[in-house]
Amino acid sequence: SCVVTGLIKVLDKVEWKTSDNTTITPDNGDGFIIDTGSFGTGSQTTTLTVPGSQTDEDKVYKCVITPNGDDVTAKTMEVDLKVFTVSSTPKYVTTDTDQTLTCTIGGLDANQAVTVTWKEPSNKEVEFTDTVNYALSPGTVNNDGSQNAVLTIKQNKIKEYSGDSSF
């Protein structure tokens, strides 16, 4: 996303370009989607949705905005697309004790931890404040660019999932 502030009217022109300055055309079948956004309270946010086929490596895209309709006043902002990996190890568990699950995220930049959201089998988000049923650790990014987020499901809660096959 590209956030433009200090506006008095909607942007006249919004473009997205690849790092080699190729203009992205959303109607050419590549799967890119450009949302120019709407003007409100002096700002406008334009968003580029990148198709999965273009997310194989880190890339830089350029948001080019023209507030006055002429290319002389065009401003360019670089937006980084960061690609990372997510893995977990399946495990069989017993309901007789607390159980710990680990989600490993790789390919991160140092000191740039990501937010991991755990969900129950019902798709309900696990809350950090629910310390009766869970213990959550978001983890930090280590030297090799990986982060281990840990979810401990406490024994009283794990018993509720005895018939479920995944968490």
Side-chain angles (χ1 to χ4, degrees):
S1 293
C2 178
V3 180
V4 184
T5 58
L7 299 173
I8 56 172
K9 67 180 185 99
V10 67
L11 292 168
D12 293 317
K13 185 177 173 185
V14 175
E15 284 184 306
W16 282 89
K17 296 184 178 196
T18 60
S19 59
D20 66 358
N21 284 323
T22 301
T23 299
I24 295 170
T25 308
D27 299 330
N28 70 358
D30 285 346
F32 287 95
I33 299 170
I34 296 174
D35 178 0
T36 57
S38 57
F39 173 75
T41 5
S43 70
Q44 185 172 336
T45 301
T46 177
T47 305
L48 174 67
T49 302
V50 180
S53 61
Q54 297 294 318
T55 59
D56 56 339
E57 62 184 357
D58 291 352
K59 295 180 181 177
V60 175
Y61 290 93
K62 297 176 182 179
C63 169
V64 182
I65 57 104
T66 308
N68 300 321
D70 60 38
D71 289 335
V72 175
T73 59
K75 305 284 185 204
T76 301
M77 180 174 147
E78 291 189 350
V79 179
D80 293 324
L81 171 72
K82 294 292 195 178
V83 178
F84 53 90
T85 60
V86 178
S87 63
S88 63
T89 303
K91 67 191 273 187
Y92 293 97
V93 298
T94 177
T95 58
D96 293 336
T97 187
D98 293 356
Q99 297 295 327
T100 300
L101 303 174
T102 302
C103 176
T104 303
I105 305 98
L108 301 173
D109 291 335
N111 301 317
Q112 296 291 320
V114 296
T115 301
V116 174
T117 302
W118 292 93
K119 294 193 175 186
E120 296 179 350
S122 66
N123 210 30
K124 179 181 177 250
E125 189 172 314
V126 173
E127 301 292 334
F128 267 92
T129 56
D130 186 358
T131 56
V132 171
N133 295 309
Y134 302 103
L136 293 124
S137 171
T140 57
V141 180
N142 61 26
N143 291 338
D144 71 356
S146 64
Q147 173 183 340
N148 292 318
V150 178
L151 168 68
T152 300
I153 309 168
K154 296 187 180 176
Q155 182 182 3
N156 60 315
K157 187 67 174 179
I158 199 80
K159 286 182 179 184
E160 293 179 25
Y161 301 120
S162 62
D164 292 319
S165 60
S166 65
F167 198 89

